[in-house]
Amino acid sequence: MSTVCPQTMPHAQLELLYREHHGWLHGWLRQRLSSSADAADLAQDTFIRVLLARSAGSLREPRHYLATVARGLVIDLYRRRSLEQAYLDALALRPESYEPSAEERALILDSLLAIDRMLDGLGERTRAIFLAVQLDGLSYEKAAERVDVSVSTVRKHLAKALMHCLLLEDE
Amino acid sequence: MKVALNQAVDWYVRLNDSQVTDAQRAAWQAWLAEDPCHAQAWARLEGLRQRFEQAPQGLASMALENARYSRRTAVKTLAALFGVGLVGWQGYQVSPWSADYVTRVGERRRVTLADGSRLDLNTDTRVDIRFDAGQRLIHLLHGEILVQTAKDSRPLSVHSTEGRILALGTRFSVRQIGALTRVAVEEHAVEIRPRLAEAQMLRVEAGQACDFTSGRVGDLRPAQTSASAWAQGMLVVVDWRLDDLLAELSRYRSGYLGCSPEVAALRLSGAFNLDDCEATLASLQDALPVEVHRMTRYWVRIDQRKA
C-alpha cells in the first residue's frame, strides 16, 4: 500500500466527494456486478484509492474520475478471483498432498497477480515462451520443443518479455 | 537507462542458457563493472527474477494460463449473448463468482432474507436475490437450496436454469443437477413451470419430489427420507448403493472419490456427518468389507478388502 502524501486531497473535500457521489457510485457498481456485497466493497475501495492518489486535487468531473478508478478495481477483483480459482484447481491436481497455509496462499496469489498483470499485452507466443522458461524452469531447447519454434526464437521472445516487464515497473 | 536495461536483458538471456561458457561469464562481469548504470540495470532484472521465483514452479504457469482462459471464455460468452463491444470488466458479469450468496465446496450457509424468509445454501451453491415491490425472486445459479418462506403479500418464486418454482407458503428444496432441476417439498406445496413449456404446470405437495427439464416435467414421486438433512449437516441414506453414496459425498469435498466395480453395488444405510467426510469414509470400513485407499487428500478410492 502506498503512504499518504502531503498533496493528497484535503479531508473536507473528500468528505464532500463521498457524500455527493458515494450513492451514485454504489449504484453504478451494483448495475455492473451481480453481488451487492462486492459493489459496496469496491465503492469503499474507490474512495480509499482517491484518498491515496496524489493527483486527485480538485476534480472537474468527479463521477467520470470515480468510474475510471472503480472500473480498474472491478478488473482487479475479477482477475484475482479467476487466478485464485485457477490456482486452487492446479493445486488439487497435484499428485502429492501439499496444503499451503492461508498466509502462503495469499502471498502466492499476490505474486501470481503481479505476474499476470505484467504479462498483459504480450503476444501469445511470447507469453508461452516466457512461462515455459521463467516459471516452469525449462531449458531453451525444451521450451523450443514445447512451443514448436527454434531456440533462437525462444531467446528473442524471452528478451522481449523481460524488457516488457522491466519497462512496466517504470510506470 | 533503457540502453543499459536492454543490455542487461541480453546478458540475462545468454547466462540463463544451459550452454553458457566461462568466457561469457567473464565478459558479463566486465560489463557489470564498466558502468554503475549497468549494475543498476542488472539489479532491477534480478529483482524481477526474484518476483518470479515467489511463484510456485509448475503450478504458476498452469494457474496463469487457466485463469486467462476462463476470463476469455467469460468475455466470449457475453459477446455471443449480447453482441456488445467488450472491455475487460464486462466479463465479470458472467463470472461464476459473482452472486449475492455463495458457498464453496464443503461449505454450508444459512441466510435470512429481507422478508424474513430463511435460505439454506448447500455445498458449492450460488444464488442471487431479487426482491422488489411486486415479487420475491430467488435465482438459483448453481447447487442446492432449502427455502423456508415467510408470510408476505408478494409471491415468492425460485428460478432455476430449467424454469420457475412458485412457493405456496412452504418449505422446499431446489437442486440444480446438470440440465435438470430437482424439487422436493416438505410443507404445503409449490407449482413448477418449465421455462419452455409453461403450460405443463405441475403442483407438488408435501412429501413429494419431482425432476424437470426446461421442456418437460417428470413424474411425481415420494420425496427421499430426510432429503434436506444436509441443512443440519447430515446425510441420511436408507439402502443406498455404495457408488451412489460416494457420488453424493463427492459434492462435499474436492478431488476424486470413487470405488472399484466389485464393491459399487454394496448397500448400506446410515447417517453421516457432512462436516467430517474423512471420518465418514473411515466408518465405511467398519460397515462394509472394504478398504479406503488414499493416494493424496484429493484422490480416494474404495476397494474390496483383501482377505
Side-chain angles (χ1 to χ4, degrees), chain A residues 30-38 71 74-75 77-79 81-99 107-108 111-112 114-116 118-120 122 124 127-128 130-131 133-137 139-141 146 151 155-156 158-160 162-163 165-167 169-170, chain B residues 1-3 5-10 12-19 41 44-45 47-49 51-68 70-75 87-100 104 128-130 141 254-255 295-298:
Chain A
R30 191 68 190 82
Q31 275 175 11
R32 285 159 176 81
L33 299 170
S34 41
S35 153
S36 55
D38 283 343
R71 190 175 289 129
V74 173
I75 295 173
L77 177 70
Y78 181 42
R79 191 194 287 274
R81 293 208 176 148
S82 66
L83 273 170
E84 186 174 17
Q85 188 63 44
Y87 169 62
L88 291 176
D89 289 348
L91 203 60
L93 284 175
R94 265 157 82 113
E96 72 270 36
S97 103
Y98 164 67
E99 278 182 82
L107 284 175
I108 288 171
S111 80
L112 288 177
I115 295 171
D116 194 45
M118 275 198 274
L119 299 186
D120 269 356
L122 285 180
E124 284 297 315
R127 188 183 151 91
F130 176 84
L131 291 177
V133 173
Q134 209 62 54
L135 290 182
D136 289 341
S139 66
Y140 294 167
E141 290 76 18
R146 187 198 277 185
V151 172
R155 293 165 172 274
K156 202 178 78 195
L158 180 62
K160 187 174 155 191
L162 288 168
M163 201 59 201
C165 295
L166 283 174
L167 293 179
E169 282 188 326
D170 284 345
Chain B
M1 192 64 192
K2 199 174 165 184
V3 177
L5 281 175
N6 254 321
Q7 289 174 347
V9 165
D10 278 346
Y12 181 89
V13 172
R14 253 176 269 175
L15 294 176
N16 201 31
D17 196 331
S18 48
Q19 282 147 30
R44 282 187 47 186
L45 198 54
L48 196 62
R49 194 186 58 80
R51 181 177 293 177
F52 298 139
E53 273 187 356
Q54 282 165 4
Q57 221 187 43
L59 277 186
S61 67
M62 189 199 268
L64 286 164
E65 289 294 61
N66 289 344
R68 196 178 155 82
S70 78
R71 292 199 296 263
R72 219 168 30 201
T73 343
V75 169
V87 279
W89 59 268
Q90 282 174 316
Y92 185 79
Q93 290 175 312
V94 288
S95 112
W97 302 281
S98 56
D100 289 342
R104 292 177 176 268
D128 270 341
I129 311 294
R130 297 284 175 274
L141 305 169
S254 301
M295 199 86 102
T296 75
R297 204 177 148 259
Y298 299 103

Side-chain angles (χ1 to χ4, degrees), chain B residues 8 26-27 31 34 58 87 99 101 107 117 125 134 153 173 181 196 200 205 215 232 251 255 288 294:
Chain B
W31 172 81
E34 206 172 80
V87 279
Y101 296 108
E107 190 190 352
S117 291
T125 295
S153 56
S173 65
T181 299
L196 303 175
Q200 274 194 40
E205 303 283 347
Q232 270 79 50
R251 294 173 60 202
L288 300 169
R294 282 160 211 278

Side-chain angles (χ1 to χ4, degrees), chain B residues 254-299:
Chain B
S254 301
Y256 171 80
L257 173 62
C259 64
S260 56
E262 302 87 71
V263 298
L266 291 175
R267 290 188 171 266
L268 78 166
S269 302
F272 302 101
N273 181 357
L274 289 174
D275 292 324
D276 195 351
C277 280
E278 303 314 306
T280 297
L281 291 175
S283 73
L284 293 178
Q285 297 184 124
D286 302 329
L288 300 169
V290 297
E291 269 174 350
V292 178
H293 287 131
R294 282 160 211 278
M295 199 86 102
T296 75
R297 204 177 148 259
Y298 299 103
W299 195 96

